[in-house]
Amino acid sequence: MAEVLGLRERKKQRTRDVISRAAITLFLRDGYDQVSVAQVAEAAEVSKMTVFNYFPAKEDLVLHQSRDHFEETARIVRDRGPDQTPLGALRAHFLTGLAEHDAGTGLCDDEDYLAFQRMVQSTQNLRLGLSEQLWRSEESLAAAFAEAIEVPPSDVVARVAARQVLVSQQTLVGDNLNLILLGKRPAEIYDDAVAAAKATFALLGRGMSSCGLDD
């Protein structure tokens, strides 16, 4: 029975991915506001009702692609090595991402990624949706921090620390992305991006060492 449920879930995931990819292809080609849900359904070869069953709101068709990214910080904290602090694990992951020109750091000039970012930045509903996802990410990271220092999930220290980390990372990502959108190549700004990340995490570390989230 468990295997049948697993197959069913994988099928649902494939359908979800097909619909989302069809939607983003249309949005990037014709513009988010110019494409209807009916057009997405036709491109994905499903009914309009099926689209809404998987994506209750039009913006979910886009934000589905970034949902896992916003849960990533909590996973990094929970999966950290035995000798890593929670903040140390986040620091190492971000610096590795910079070295690999990962999209999650903004230091990426892949054309599909940049087109996606331009679409999001120019569409109010998508910007608001990302803000909501960031809020959910803050809750998840606060819970992971709380587990790490053995306090309740509602603890103010865990919640404030999570917000500081996420706002700081979003600032770093935004700065990198803005330079890339202006035509800079990742290699051109890599050293400055690393220096900014190290300075930012050092500042965070000075505040978080007292509560057990860093050395």
Side-chain angles (χ1 to χ4, degrees):
M1 184 65 176
E3 182 179 354
V4 172
L5 290 175
L7 290 172
R8 183 181 302 165
E9 187 57 38
R10 286 197 294 273
K11 183 178 179 180
K12 289 171 64 177
Q13 183 61 53
R14 284 195 297 270
T15 301
R16 186 179 292 112
D17 290 340
V18 166
I19 295 171
S20 180
R21 283 197 298 269
I24 290 175
T25 298
L26 289 176
F27 294 156
L28 292 177
R29 189 189 71 190
D30 301 330
Y32 176 82
D33 292 326
Q34 282 65 51
V35 175
S36 69
V37 173
Q39 289 173 300
V40 171
E42 182 179 0
E45 299 183 340
V46 298
S47 69
K48 185 176 177 180
M49 183 59 69
T50 298
V51 174
F52 281 121
N53 284 341
Y54 283 93
F55 302 96
K58 183 180 175 182
E59 56 265 27
D60 292 334
L61 289 160
V62 176
L63 300 178
H64 164 71
Q65 298 291 326
S66 58
R67 186 167 287 113
D68 286 346
H69 169 69
F70 281 99
E71 298 298 322
E72 190 174 45
T73 52
R75 287 199 297 269
I76 292 166
V77 169
R78 291 192 173 102
D79 295 343
R80 69 189 184 278
D83 297 326
Q84 281 185 310
T85 65
L87 186 65
L90 292 170
R91 180 193 300 114
H93 184 268
F94 195 86
L95 291 173
T96 298
L98 288 175
E100 295 175 351
H101 297 173
D102 185 82
T105 67
L107 198 69
C108 175
D109 60 355
D110 177 80
E111 284 302 322
D112 289 339
Y113 166 73
L114 295 180
F116 182 88
Q117 292 299 325
R118 290 188 185 99
M119 176 180 66
V120 170
Q121 291 186 11
S122 63
T123 308
Q124 184 179 13
N125 283 350
L126 296 179
R127 294 198 306 272
L128 291 174
L130 282 177
S131 296
E132 184 179 342
Q133 282 193 347
L134 184 60
W135 177 77
R136 289 198 295 267
S137 180
E138 183 181 310
E139 284 192 321
S140 298
L141 181 57
F145 278 166
E147 291 170 16
I149 58 178
E150 300 181 341
V151 298
S154 60
D155 184 81
V156 67
V157 170
R159 290 187 289 116
V160 170
R163 177 164 296 190
Q164 288 179 331
V165 167
L166 290 173
V167 170
S168 297
Q169 288 197 167
Q170 286 302 302
T171 299
L172 293 170
V173 172
D175 287 350
N176 294 337
L177 177 58
N178 287 339
L179 289 172
I180 296 296
L181 289 173
L182 288 172
K184 295 289 187 180
R185 308 295 293 180
E188 291 180 79
I189 60 175
Y190 172 73
D191 289 343
D192 288 342
V194 169
K198 287 182 176 179
T200 298
F201 277 100
L203 180 62
L204 290 170
R206 286 195 287 274
M208 295 186 188
S209 58
S210 62
C211 64
L213 290 170
D214 201 27
D215 292 329

